[in-house]
Amino acid sequence: VFQLSMPLNFLGTVYRELRQSLLDMEVLFNLRRNNPPIRDPVGAPPFEFKGGSIRFEDVDFAYHPQRPIFQSLSFTVPPGKKVAIVGPSGCGKSTVLRLLYRFYEPSAGRILVDGQDITKIQLDTLRQAIGVVPQDTPLFHADIMHNIRYGKLNATDEEVKTAAVRANVHDTIQRLPDGYKTKVGERGLMISGGEKQRLAVARVVLKDPPILFFDEATSALDSRTEMELMKNINANLVDNSRTSIFIAHRLRTVVDADHIIVLRNGRVEEEGTHETLLRLRGLYYEMWLAQADTIGQEEATNGARAIEEAK
Ligand code: ADP
Ligand code: MG
């Protein structure tokens, strides 16, 4: 009985969470399965969007007590701006998103969104305000129409198609054997990483949240596909009416950010624009130099391949 009830409980929790957060499956798949459900305080007000500023205030956090991830982490994301969070792999970039989404709680400090302590408001209303494009978007074994509709369950077919047009994936879908009725996901049609990420963008276009998180959303793509997707994201999702946060591994996708936060060893190591950070000659500068090498190599390889193909 025990063995059977565990997964069923998990499914129940997932289902509730799904409904609450308008199916932010992306984030949900990273959820630790034994997390106790979070209950809102009695009489908690809904989250009230006022531009989308985010503040981490002296946040301590550890997955395991013996290994702290953040120690007194503080930073501010101004409203309506494009902000990047960068830093070495494993420094806690995705953890920032998990804490904001309240999959985990800090052991000290507070997280404020538009001045509201996230532990004091209705969690589902907060999650509804945040859209996420993760590194690898899970697709369900369902048709494409359904897969995009997870962004907004009550969207009409027309709304789904409009979102697909804006995400630059509509033409591709129409060329598939069954168009929007083509089954994807497990045992479904295999689609490329770039197409998958454009479906993910269509989902958030449909959801139209005031706060957007891209968690290394383009890092699994080759550089040309990545640049195309970034162009599309910038044209269709990034504007002054919402805050967009890019967790980035490849720095050249964030050189145009209004503000870049560099994390290391659980703290903000430095922050500023691309130019000011380069002038600091610190960690960002080092990362930039290290990546300039690989970018050069990648471009050289692509160039060689193009010449090879042209022959
Ligand atoms: P980043 O996104 O910057 O690469 P993460 O925020 O995913 O890093 O992880 C920060 C650190 O926490 C890493 O060392 C990672 O191994 C660890 N970590 C991430 N998730 C968990 C978890 N669920 N349990 C224990 N440790 C974790
Ligand atoms: Mg990460």
Side-chain angles (χ1 to χ4, degrees):
V1 176
F2 181 70
Q3 274 178 347
L4 189 71
S5 72
M6 283 292 284
L8 286 181
N9 271 340
F10 169 61
L11 284 179
T13 310
V14 166
Y15 181 66
R16 265 195 313 280
E17 296 273 349
L18 285 183
R19 279 196 323 190
Q20 275 180 15
S21 60
L22 269 180
L23 291 150
D24 257 304
M25 287 303 287
E26 300 85 347
V27 185
L28 211 77
F29 270 104
N30 294 323
L31 174 66
R32 247 199 1 206
R33 306 184 169 202
N34 55 359
N35 258 9
I38 294 168
R39 279 180 221 290
D40 293 331
V42 178
F47 166 64
E48 202 185 320
F49 179 71
K50 298 174 199 162
S53 80
I54 298 167
R55 168 135 192 89
F56 274 54
E57 226 170 62
D58 300 319
V59 168
D60 289 357
F61 176 73
Y63 291 102
H64 302 293
Q66 66 277 24
R67 198 171 156 250
I69 305 292
F70 298 139
Q71 284 165 301
S72 202
L73 175 68
S74 296
F75 63 84
T76 302
V77 172
K81 298 289 186 205
K82 176 176 178 176
V83 175
I85 299 178
V86 304
S89 169
C91 72
K93 301 180 294 296
S94 298
T95 304
V96 167
L97 172 60
R98 289 180 205 127
L99 291 177
L100 179 68
Y101 225 78
R102 282 192 76 198
F103 281 154
Y104 295 91
E105 306 278 3
S107 52
R110 317 188 286 168
I111 299 168
L112 306 164
V113 182
D114 283 335
Q116 299 150 75
D117 183 331
I118 63 168
T119 62
K120 306 226 155 79
I121 52 178
Q122 289 168 26
L123 181 56
D124 63 326
T125 62
L126 173 73
R127 288 182 179 174
Q128 271 164 29
I130 305 170
V132 180
V133 181
Q135 179 164 3
D136 187 31
T137 298
L139 295 176
F140 314 105
H141 184 62
D143 65 25
I144 291 196
M145 185 67 82
H146 277 91
N147 267 284
I148 299 176
R149 212 193 312 268
Y150 282 118
K152 182 184 169 194
L153 292 176
N154 59 355
T156 63
D157 288 4
E158 272 324 295
E159 284 179 287
V160 169
K161 284 181 186 167
T162 307
V165 169
R166 286 186 57 198
N168 199 21
V169 67
H170 175 75
D171 292 343
T172 313
I173 296 170
Q174 290 211 300
R175 279 196 299 268
L176 294 175
D178 296 313
Y180 280 85
K181 294 213 155 67
T182 306
K183 285 234 167 39
V184 291
E186 245 180 286
R187 290 164 292 132
L189 184 80
M190 292 285 285
I191 62 171
S192 74
E195 287 161 355
K196 218 167 149 182
Q197 290 310 71
R198 281 185 281 146
L199 289 180
V201 170
R203 260 184 208 164
V204 295
V205 167
L206 193 62
K207 181 171 177 175
D208 195 24
I211 297 169
L212 273 171
F213 244 102
F214 299 86
D215 189 354
E216 305 201 19
T218 62
S219 65
L221 308 177
D222 65 74
S223 45
R224 218 185 88 208
T225 314
E226 172 173 55
M227 284 336 254
E228 271 167 23
L229 191 67
M230 278 306 296
K231 233 168 84 183
N232 186 262
I233 287 170
N234 281 319
N236 280 294
L237 282 165
V238 178
D239 60 52
N240 298 333
S241 71
R242 63 179 116 227
T243 303
S244 0
I245 300 157
F246 290 79
I247 293 175
H249 180 65
R250 291 190 193 158
L251 300 183
R252 75 202 143 120
T253 59
V254 298
V255 290
D256 64 332
D258 299 305
H259 192 70
I260 301 172
I261 297 168
V262 186
L263 295 183
R264 173 152 69 178
N265 298 334
R267 286 170 181 275
V268 175
E269 171 97 359
E270 51 198 23
E271 53 187 317
T273 62
H274 176 71
E275 281 74 25
T276 53
L277 287 171
L278 284 187
R279 256 181 269 129
L280 278 180
R281 294 271 192 275
L283 176 59
Y284 183 88
Y285 176 75
E286 277 169 34
M287 289 167 64
W288 179 254
L289 284 190
Q291 294 194 10
D293 272 359
T294 54
I295 292 166
Q297 276 164 21
E298 199 177 325
E299 265 151 23
T301 317
N302 285 344
R305 201 179 299 135
I307 292 165
E308 211 44 53
E309 279 164 11
K311 276 185 192 162

